Amino acid sequence: MVEQPTDLQAAGRRKARRRTTAVWAGRAALAIIVVGGWQWFTEAGWVDKFFFGQPSMIWDSLVKLFTEGTAFGSIWDNLWVTVQEAFFGFLLGTFVGIVLGILLGSNKYLSSVIGPYIRIVNSIPRIVLGSIFIVAFGLGVFPKILLAAVLVFFVVFFNAFQGVREVDQNLVANVRVLGASPFQVAVHVTIPSAMTWIIASLHTAFGFAIIGALVAEVLGAQKGVGLIISQAQGTFDPNTVFACMVIIAIVTLVAEFLISLLEHSLLKWRPPNRSEAQAI
């Protein structure tokens, strides 16, 4: 008896649900093993909790942060500052990275002229750039946005540049033969073809935006999660450091989820890849 398409689709959905359940079970098991082992090792004295903290004490630090606040105000105020710095740095770095990546990827002359300077700037340690920005612009939000934007820029730029270089040149030539202008070629061929590369870079880019904001706050700030981490480090309080890392991890996961939604929205035209097709 030949299975009907509806039966095949139902079987595929059941298989996808079983796989999703197995994935979440594996994630939960891994978290339990890591956190439980960490707690066990510190309780047994095999790992020094003075240096590495302890999960139960990290939880106490989280509760304290959200109930008692910090020396620099409530945790919500500090988190909001860091999120703003990372978000605007992410937007700025993404915009400049996409524009320059597409421009240099499409123009070999500009790529030859500007390319070496981009590689030079990319070789500068980010912590040095952060110090320069803080000296030049003070302890406010702007230097943190700049450092976050720099980190995001290089991730997005190189992906956009490579994405443009991977565009089918025969397709570009055919569109030009049909009378398309350079702007029309960019809008209707180059950018859509490079979009997969660009969107892929955004998943990594927001993490770099968070890193840039935190590093700049550690170097000098009036508010922010990085400032809390810096103070906790100075007082040998690893539990508060890990508590702040947990908060940042949650923010990053939420951002990753939103970027995934954006990816599905912008790339609806793309045929499903092998892993996606198996779940249909």
Side-chain angles (χ1 to χ4, degrees):
M1 180 178 178
V2 179
E3 289 189 76
Q4 298 299 319
T6 54
D7 296 332
L8 292 174
Q9 291 175 350
R13 285 192 293 268
R14 287 195 297 270
K15 183 178 179 181
R17 284 196 296 269
R18 286 197 298 269
R19 184 181 182 279
T20 301
T21 302
V23 167
W24 280 104
R27 290 172 177 173
L30 180 60
I32 291 171
I33 291 171
V34 172
V35 176
W38 186 358
Q39 180 74 25
W40 180 24
F41 291 161
T42 51
E43 289 286 354
W46 297 339
V47 174
D48 193 342
K49 59 185 177 183
F50 179 80
F51 296 107
F52 297 97
Q54 189 177 46
S56 59
M57 298 175 69
I58 293 171
W59 174 257
D60 293 339
S61 295
L62 276 170
V63 172
K64 184 177 179 182
L65 285 173
F66 283 98
T67 56
E68 301 180 15
T70 71
F72 315 105
S74 72
I75 185 62
W76 294 109
D77 290 338
N78 287 275
L79 180 59
W80 177 240
V81 170
T82 301
V83 169
Q84 285 186 93
E85 294 164 353
F87 178 71
F88 288 116
F90 175 76
L91 291 182
L92 177 60
T94 298
F95 175 76
V96 178
I98 291 174
V99 171
L100 283 183
I102 292 174
L103 190 62
L104 270 63
S106 305
N107 192 308
K108 292 185 178 180
Y109 174 75
L110 286 179
S111 176
S112 299
V113 172
I114 302 176
Y117 295 101
I118 290 179
R119 288 191 288 271
I120 289 172
V121 176
N122 188 34
S123 68
I124 299 175
R126 305 302 188 256
I127 194 168
V128 174
L129 286 176
S131 300
I132 293 172
F133 292 155
I134 288 176
V135 169
F137 302 108
L139 299 177
V141 171
F142 186 62
K144 283 77 172 177
I145 293 176
L146 281 182
L147 185 59
V150 168
L151 268 68
V152 170
F153 166 78
F154 288 106
V155 176
V156 177
F157 168 78
F158 288 118
N159 270 49
F161 180 85
Q162 188 62 34
V164 171
R165 289 296 177 91
E166 294 291 331
V167 174
D168 187 349
Q169 294 304 309
N170 292 326
L171 179 60
V172 174
N174 290 337
V175 172
R176 285 175 176 169
V177 168
L178 293 174
S181 66
F183 178 77
Q184 289 174 321
V185 171
V187 171
H188 297 290
V189 178
T190 304
I191 294 177
S193 299
M195 189 59 67
T196 301
W197 288 76
I198 294 171
I199 294 295
S201 70
L202 299 185
H203 291 281
T204 305
F206 189 82
F208 278 97
I210 288 286
I211 292 171
L214 290 177
V215 168
E217 288 174 351
V218 169
L219 291 174
Q222 297 171 325
K223 275 184 177 296
V225 177
L227 180 60
I228 299 172
I229 292 174
S230 179
Q231 185 202 39
Q233 178 186 356
T235 57
F236 297 97
D237 182 7
N239 297 298
T240 299
V241 174
F242 281 115
C244 291
M245 290 172 62
V246 170
I247 295 171
I248 291 299
I250 293 172
V251 171
T252 305
L253 287 175
V254 171
E256 169 72 15
F257 174 74
L258 296 177
I259 291 173
S260 296
L261 293 180
L262 175 65
E263 179 179 16
H264 292 313
S265 175
L266 293 178
L267 300 181
K268 286 181 178 179
W269 55 269
R270 185 191 65 179
N273 58 36
R274 184 177 179 183
S275 61
E276 292 170 339
Q278 289 175 345
I280 295 177

